[in-house]
Amino acid sequence: MTARQPLFVGGSWVEPDDGHYEVIDPANEETVGWAPEASREQVLAACAAAREAFGPWSRTAPEERAAVLGRAAGIIGGRLPEYADLARAETGATLGTARGMQVGVAAARFRRYARVEPSEWPVPPQINEAGPMGKAGVMGALAVRQPVGVVTCVTSYNNPWANPAGKVAPALAMGNTVVVKPAPQDPLSVYRMARALEEAGVPPGVVNVVSGRSTGVGEAAVASPDVDMVSFTGSTAVGQRIAEVCGRDMKRQLMELGGKGAALVFDDADLRSAVAGIGTTFSFYSGQICTAPTRVLAQRGIHDRLVEQLAAYAGRLKVGDPREPDTVVGPVISAAHRDRVEAYVELGRKEGAVVVAGGERPDLPRGFYVAPALLAGCTNDMRVVREEIFGPVVAVVPFDDEEEAVALANDTDYGLIDYVWSGDVARAFRVARRLRAGGVGVNTVGRNMEAPFGGFKRSGVGRDVGSYALHAYSEVQAIVWPG
């Protein structure tokens, strides 16, 4: 029988009050394992354990905290094949993605926050003149960073390794304790991460993991009076509900929400580069990623060629078993999500778009597969252009000039990451500065993991990665004294 996973609460592996539920491999619909369904009381116990552990952990020397993170990175990296196989089975990611972008990135993130430079911690000291209530002379002022406290980390299903690591590692480095509530579709990987941290020597209660399909699990982890901050990655709709709860108690928030990234492709662009970048929407996590360039704005001079080349690119991608080395596009996470993606493709047809490529269900015996879909003849008011589909679907909208391109790109509820392709680098950077997005890729879809990451508008609140994550998981304290 497949193992039944316990919860991780207060340094102990605990049987769940509400039993277990089945975790399904989206590639073949077989059982991967059985995940624990925590009760509300167990979630609150995890939050209380994190609160109790916070004082000692926050007073632990930064070097000791860093050593724990470093050992965890070594454990995760040393078990990469085992952990990657589980990640592949839970998420349907290709084996290369599971190894490199999921488990590999998780290990790298623990290593990065085990090497925090002293200059990343404090705010630079300042010497200010005394204010009107002060004595004559000068007052010394020092701004330092303090941990926030207990952080609830609610993580996404598309990457159960890199996403939690990107929250847990900087939070622990700054002296916080955490309660991780993983996505219900693939929580088993997060429990492996907790096991690695336990083996690395993290004290009891510093890291806790509670899971469940019930919305009550996440609600309790957010609303607990022991929690000081919530870090959430997921949909804008869920983020809004979490923000409402946080607002009642003035809890700190870090929200990385939905996206509908625009890719502006000008007449002078390198089309080969643009096609390869936009094509990652089809292949990377099967389009289940908020940073994907799903909304292509193509200048009319290259519009038809770009559509033709994107259609050919999509048609060459092998859709199938992610365990096969030549598979490029794996399944989406569930049957329900497959139905949702297919419904959007059909909606696009009804709205007047032309399905140039894909969109059909591949002829595979099992699994939740969708052939990469390219929709042309779109306008910016169509739902397939405005709403986040979270699947291998790209919609193309034509434009005439730079002003129209910027206006179309900014005419959206979202603002996470946009992209600009142009042979005129000066224009590309000029356009980038006018886009209302937290990040802009110029002639690339690559990311710099030290650059701030987060969104404008309904794409989120706050910034993380690199030193920005240390800021996100800390409060600024001012210490003032007479000069």
Side-chain angles (χ1 to χ4, degrees), residues 15 146 183 198 204 252 282 284 297 321 344 355 357 401 406 451:
E15 286 302 307
Q146 301 279 18
E198 181 188 35
R252 190 172 184 136
F282 301 135
F284 195 43
L297 308 179
D321 189 338
Y344 265 108
V355 181
D401 55 27
V406 171

Side-chain angles (χ1 to χ4, degrees), residues 26 87-93 102 154-164 181-187 189-190 232-235 285-290 331-334 336-338 340-341 388-392:
R88 179 210 54 74
E90 283 195 288
T91 66
Q102 296 189 348
V154 184
T155 65
S156 59
Y157 72 72
N158 59 350
N159 197 326
W161 279 95
N163 185 258
K181 192 279 174 187
Q185 297 93 334
D186 49 14
S189 289
V190 182
F232 171 70
T233 300
S235 72
Y285 300 124
S286 302
Q288 299 168 113
I289 185 164
C290 52
V332 296
I333 194 67
S334 66
H337 193 58
R338 177 186 59 191
R340 180 178 184 274
V341 173
E388 185 176 39
I389 299 172
F390 221 61

Side-chain angles (χ1 to χ4, degrees), residues 5 32 75-90 95 98-99 102-103 161 188-189 191-193 195-196 199:
Q5 174 66 52
V32 177
I75 292 168
I76 293 169
R79 297 174 184 166
L80 192 149
E82 171 195 343
Y83 289 164
D85 190 56
L86 175 60
R88 179 210 54 74
E90 283 195 288
L95 193 54
R99 285 174 175 264
Q102 296 189 348
V103 182
W161 279 95
L188 301 178
S189 289
Y191 285 106
R192 295 293 194 281
M193 184 181 298
R195 181 77 72 181
E199 292 180 27

Side-chain angles (χ1 to χ4, degrees), residues 47 51 150-152 179 220-230 251:
C47 298
R51 170 60 59 197
V150 176
V151 182
T152 286
V179 177
V222 168
S224 166
D226 286 311
V227 170
D228 302 293
M229 173 181 173
V230 176
K251 294 179 180 181

Side-chain angles (χ1 to χ4, degrees), residues 105 118 153 184 239 272 278 383 431:
V105 170
C153 303
R272 179 177 296 182
I278 295 164
R383 286 179 58 192
V431 169

Side-chain angles (χ1 to χ4, degrees), residues 35 61 87 131 144 176-177 185 233 286 314 330 344 349 386 406 418 421 428 479:
V144 297
N176 302 283
T177 56
Q185 297 93 334
T233 300
S286 302
Y344 265 108
R349 283 195 180 96
R386 304 196 67 84
V406 171
D418 287 342
W421 270 275
I479 302 174

Side-chain angles (χ1 to χ4, degrees), residues 262-267 295-300 380 397-412 418-422 427 431-432 434-436:
L264 288 68
V265 186
F266 288 90
D267 284 346
R295 191 166 52 109
V296 175
L297 308 179
Q299 196 163 15
R300 291 189 186 275
N380 219 44
V397 178
F399 71 87
D400 288 312
D401 55 27
E402 183 177 315
E403 287 299 317
E404 185 184 13
V406 171
L408 289 170
N410 288 336
D411 181 19
T412 175
D418 287 342
Y419 306 86
V420 181
W421 270 275
S422 173
R427 174 170 68 175
V431 169
R434 297 181 64 191
L435 297 177
R436 299 291 295 166

